Amino acid sequence: MSALSPDTVFLIANRGIIVFWVLLIVAPRWKGTDLLVNSVVVPVAIGLTYTWLIARVFMGEGATDASFTSLHGVMAFFTSPVAATAGWIHYLVFDLFIGAWETRDAQRRGIPHLAVIPCLIVTLLFGPIGFLLYLGLRAALGKGGFSLRETAA
């Protein structure tokens, strides 16, 4: 069996992650959403894919002058299709993690889900900006502001 190409893995990950975002947006309190998005099932599967890609990079499918110690080295790292796919999966996973946290946090704090949906969409598209938007929403509603404490207001 031949290994999946970076293009195929990229397409599967990019399209597959949308299912979990749709669940967060349209069915945040459904048990299936909790099982799929808030459990370890999906993160473990994605983590194994990421590990497989990173192993391929370090076994010779990455750029030879790649490193994490300089901008040039990081840019060289992402010239490899395998490394770029791994990096993209890294973004997808962490953005989903933040979106799931926003949803759970909003539920604990009594923030209306309709107000959270724009934050989720921006988090999907622009990660940290969506996170800041959500924290701003909390502050505007008097539901905890910019503190990341897990206790409900």
Side-chain angles (χ1 to χ4, degrees), residues 13-31:
N14 220 30
R15 291 179 181 162
I17 204 80
I18 296 301
V19 171
F20 307 109
W21 282 100
V22 169
L23 288 172
L24 284 176
I25 291 169
V26 302
R29 295 184 186 273
W30 180 51
K31 285 187 177 202

Side-chain angles (χ1 to χ4, degrees), residues 87-139:
W88 186 245
I89 287 173
H90 187 119
Y91 283 121
L92 292 176
V93 169
F94 276 90
D95 288 351
L96 181 63
F97 178 82
I98 294 301
W101 177 85
E102 290 170 2
T103 303
R104 289 189 313 272
D105 187 71
Q107 289 172 358
R108 281 192 298 272
R109 293 174 188 272
I111 297 173
H113 186 67
L114 285 176
V116 178
I117 290 174
C119 302
L120 293 173
I121 293 168
V122 175
T123 300
L124 166 63
L125 298 173
F126 305 106
I129 298 171
F131 177 66
L132 291 173
L133 182 62
Y134 174 70
L135 293 178
L137 173 67
R138 281 187 0 179

Side-chain angles (χ1 to χ4, degrees), residues 47-115:
L48 290 171
T49 302
Y50 178 77
T51 301
W52 169 69
L53 288 166
I54 290 296
R56 286 178 60 183
V57 169
F58 288 107
M59 290 176 15
E61 292 186 51
T64 56
D65 57 346
S67 75
F68 294 113
T69 59
S70 70
L71 178 57
H72 175 76
V74 170
M75 289 172 61
F77 182 77
F78 288 112
T79 61
S80 158
V82 175
T85 302
W88 186 245
I89 287 173
H90 187 119
Y91 283 121
L92 292 176
V93 169
F94 276 90
D95 288 351
L96 181 63
F97 178 82
I98 294 301
W101 177 85
E102 290 170 2
T103 303
R104 289 189 313 272
D105 187 71
Q107 289 172 358
R108 281 192 298 272
R109 293 174 188 272
I111 297 173
H113 186 67
L114 285 176

